[in-house]
Amino acid sequence: MGKITTWIMILLCVASLVFQGCATYRDKAFVKQDMMSLSPLKVVRHETPSFNKLTPGGTAGGLLLGGVIGLAISAELSGKKLREKIEIPDFGQLVMDKFVARAEKEILNWPAMDIEQKPLDSEYSHKSGNTLEFKLPYNPYLTFEKGGCFGSVTTVTLKNTNGNILWKKTFAYLSKTYDRQRKIEEFEADSGKLLKEEMNFAAEETVSDFIKHFKGEK
């Protein structure tokens, strides 16, 4: 059973690559410089990919009907049904908002920010100005695997006015890493109360990782 579920997760990742494109996980440490020279810093976020849900039945059916593509479609449809049932937070926005709230308190001389709340469209490309971009390269998801987990991958990128990358960090969150597994039914109960709490916790951990990396603490 362990080998089967491992292959299922591998196929899910491959399916995510098919639909979202290949993500680059090469981090770049921030080289200390005059932080005020980055002011004003434009803070933006890319649109968060749709929420996916992976269940034993949906996984088996998806693989049977269409392999990797079938699995991706099944996870997408299950996620859509879940979103119709409960209001799921926008994880990308959660991360951006929490970073904005904490950065100026926890990072010395953090520059003034110009925050764009509306997500960028798919054709966005950096043109000018110092920008801080948040992006989820893969779909955030809820899975029955590993005892029931929420998972996400988030990348933050700091670019200067010429488009050069000054800092980049990717962080992957999985409930199991923090011993916070729950059955899918528990995550969904009471209008998704535990799922929302888990996503909030995941966003805080993501931001903590970003700040520590920026400050050179990890």
Side-chain angles (χ1 to χ4, degrees), residues 75-199:
E76 179 90 16
L77 290 176
S78 294
K80 181 179 179 181
K81 290 181 181 178
L82 181 59
R83 294 196 306 274
E84 293 172 349
K85 179 181 177 182
I86 63 176
E87 185 178 351
I88 299 176
D90 184 318
F91 190 72
Q93 183 169 15
L94 267 180
V95 172
M96 186 186 79
D97 290 347
K98 289 181 181 297
F99 187 92
V100 165
R102 292 175 56 182
E104 58 186 1
K105 299 176 183 176
E106 300 180 34
I107 301 176
L108 185 64
N109 296 324
W110 186 257
M113 293 175 281
D114 176 15
I115 304 161
E116 177 59 59
Q117 289 294 340
K118 185 178 179 180
L120 304 172
D121 59 43
S122 59
E123 297 180 359
Y124 169 82
S125 62
H126 181 276
K127 294 180 175 62
S128 63
N130 300 304
T131 63
L132 187 69
E133 297 179 26
F134 292 88
K135 182 177 183 179
L136 271 69
Y138 301 126
N139 306 67
Y141 63 94
L142 185 62
T143 177
F144 71 95
E145 240 299 81
K146 302 183 184 299
C149 291
F150 167 74
S152 64
V153 178
T154 312
T155 296
V156 61
T157 307
L158 175 63
K159 298 179 182 178
N160 65 13
T161 189
N162 297 317
N164 298 317
I165 295 177
L166 303 179
W167 172 58
K168 185 174 184 179
K169 183 67 172 73
T170 295
F171 179 74
Y173 177 88
L174 189 65
S175 302
K176 182 176 174 59
T177 305
Y178 298 84
D179 195 25
R180 295 173 62 90
Q181 306 96 307
R182 295 276 189 170
K183 293 181 179 179
I184 287 182
E185 295 77 13
E186 292 181 88
F187 273 125
E188 295 180 11
D190 194 14
S191 299
K193 179 181 177 181
L194 291 181
L195 175 58
K196 294 171 185 176
E197 290 179 1
E198 183 66 7
M199 293 178 71

Side-chain angles (χ1 to χ4, degrees), residues 45-56:
R45 66 184 178 90
H46 293 260
E47 187 170 359
T48 303
S50 60
F51 194 93
N52 282 1
K53 175 182 172 182
L54 194 65
T55 64

